[in-house]
């Protein structure tokens, strides 16, 4: 049970970190909210306040939750293999999370 | 404007409760690692933290557009760009904390309370540092200008 939980949460965290990193670095496929017009668009006009946080954040959370559920459902039955894979997933997830945090800090600090 | 102010105060209260829950969880986990587990509290705090995070996230999403227009665009970007950046940093780091909070909640329910795994201890430490950073950053931004 415990190895299965570590496997599923590792996979979910890895998916969330990957989606966060891709959407933050590329802005690919993001929908923007225009708070002054109360509307959504994939192609924000210049000179208008556009917020990408909603799409980026919700995509990250959704990917994490979805993959966590799928990984729990389809986890390998071999306990030893499960524990080994969970360790690998968590190492990768921690790396991507750290990378995402470091990229965010550098990207935002460069705005000052 | 009243509802936005009410949303901001509720957002802050929920963030305070979240900080309390993750701090207490880190402390009971430390006791557990030293051979003194508190099984009930080790299951309770992560669940409370996850619920508080949900409230903070929803309320933050509701007041965010008002902040973006009336505070950041109208004042912060020109007068205090560092605070504007600090706010964005807090919002983005909060997104990255969500999977770790979920991990805490799942592992705390499935693991032996007397033997918390390295993943659980690592996640709780990362969440603890991140949530405290976000709380302090939020207070600093609000002290500069708020909705």
């Amino acid at each position: 049970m415990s190895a299965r939980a570590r496997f599923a949460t590792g996979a979910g965290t890895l998916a969330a970190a990957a989606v966060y990193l891709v959407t933050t670095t590329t802005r690919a496929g993001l929908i923007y909210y225009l708070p002054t017009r109360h509307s959504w668009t994939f192609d924000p006009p210049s000179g208008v306040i556009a917020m990408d946080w909603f799409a980026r954040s919700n995509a990250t959370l959704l990917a994490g939750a979805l993959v966590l559920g799928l990984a729990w459902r389809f986890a390998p039955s071999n306990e030893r293999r499960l524990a080994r894979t969970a360790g690998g997933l968590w190492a990768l997830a921690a790396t991507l999370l750290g990378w995402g945090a470091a990229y965010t800090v550098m990207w935002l600090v460069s705005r000052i | 404007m009243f509802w936005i102010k009410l949303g901001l105060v509720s957002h802050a209260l929920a963030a305070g409760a979240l900080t309390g829950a993750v701090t207490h969880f880190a402390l009971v986990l430390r006791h557990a690692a030293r051979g003194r587990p508190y099984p009930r509290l080790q299951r309770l705090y992560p669940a409370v933290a996850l619920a508080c995070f949900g409230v903070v996230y929803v309320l933050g999403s509701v007041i965010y557009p008002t902040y973006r227009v009336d505070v950041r665009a109208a004042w912060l970007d020109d007068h205090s760009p560092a605070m504007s950046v600090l706010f964005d940093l807090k919002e983005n780091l909060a997104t990255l904390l969500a999977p770790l909070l979920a991990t805490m909640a799942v592992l705390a329910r499935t693991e032996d309370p007397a033997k918390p795994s390295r993943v659980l201890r690592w996640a709780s430490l990362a969440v603890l540092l991140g949530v405290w950073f976000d709380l302090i950053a939020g207070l600093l931004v609000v002290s500069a200008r708020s909705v």
Side-chain angles (χ1 to χ4, degrees), chain A residues 1-2 5-6 9 12-13 16-17 20 33 35-36 49-51 53-54 56-58 60-61 68 72 90 94 97 100-101 104-105 107-109 111-112, chain B residues 53 57 60-62 64-65 68-69 72-73 77 81-82 84-85 88-89 91-93 95-96 98-100 102-103 106-107 110-112 117 119 122-123:
Chain A
M1 184 68 150
S2 175
R6 281 201 301 279
T9 52
T13 304
Y20 175 86
Y33 179 62
T36 51
I49 297 171
M51 303 171 71
W53 182 83
F54 291 106
R56 191 145 37 84
S57 185
N58 285 318
T60 300
L61 301 192
L68 191 154
W72 186 281
W90 266 108
L97 274 181
T104 303
V105 171
W107 156 51
L108 290 172
V109 167
R111 245 179 45 196
I112 300 177
Chain B
F53 181 86
Y57 187 83
S61 298
V62 171
Y64 197 3
R68 184 67 182 82
V69 176
R72 185 177 149 189
D77 281 347
S84 170
V85 164
D88 285 5
L89 193 56
E91 292 304 289
N92 284 289
L93 290 184
T95 302
L96 288 174
L100 296 179
T103 296
V106 171
L107 293 187
T110 52
E111 287 186 355
D112 178 357
S117 65
V119 170
W122 178 83

Side-chain angles (χ1 to χ4, degrees), chain B:
Chain B
M1 204 60 196
F2 168 77
W3 295 110
I4 294 295
K5 288 272 186 200
L6 184 65
L8 177 66
V9 171
S10 307
H11 178 72
L13 289 174
L18 168 63
T19 310
V22 298
T23 304
H24 279 95
F25 181 65
L27 291 174
V28 293
L29 212 55
R30 195 156 171 255
H31 283 296
R34 291 175 175 186
R36 282 181 293 153
Y38 295 89
R40 199 178 67 82
L41 293 178
Q42 282 174 240
R43 287 194 173 90
L44 178 68
Y45 287 136
V48 171
L50 198 59
C52 287
F53 181 86
V55 174
V56 170
Y57 187 83
V58 170
L59 289 173
S61 298
V62 171
I63 57 181
Y64 197 3
T66 305
Y67 159 83
R68 184 67 182 82
V69 176
D70 295 348
V71 178
R72 185 177 149 189
W75 199 84
L76 273 188
D77 281 347
D78 291 333
H79 298 90
S80 187
M83 286 298 162
S84 170
V85 164
L86 188 63
F87 180 89
D88 285 5
L89 193 56
K90 136 186 140 59
E91 292 304 289
N92 284 289
L93 290 184
T95 302
L96 288 174
L97 289 180
L100 296 179
L101 263 166
T103 296
M104 265 171 49
V106 171
L107 293 187
R109 294 200 83 79
T110 52
E111 287 186 355
D112 178 357
K115 293 176 196 161
S117 65
R118 212 163 45 152
V119 170
L120 179 57
R121 282 182 281 145
W122 178 83
S124 76
L125 180 65
V127 168
L128 178 73
L129 294 175
V131 165
W132 271 100
F133 173 83
D134 276 7
L135 183 79
I136 292 167
L139 287 172
L140 286 174
V141 172
V142 165
S143 71
R145 195 82 162 190
S146 77
V147 290

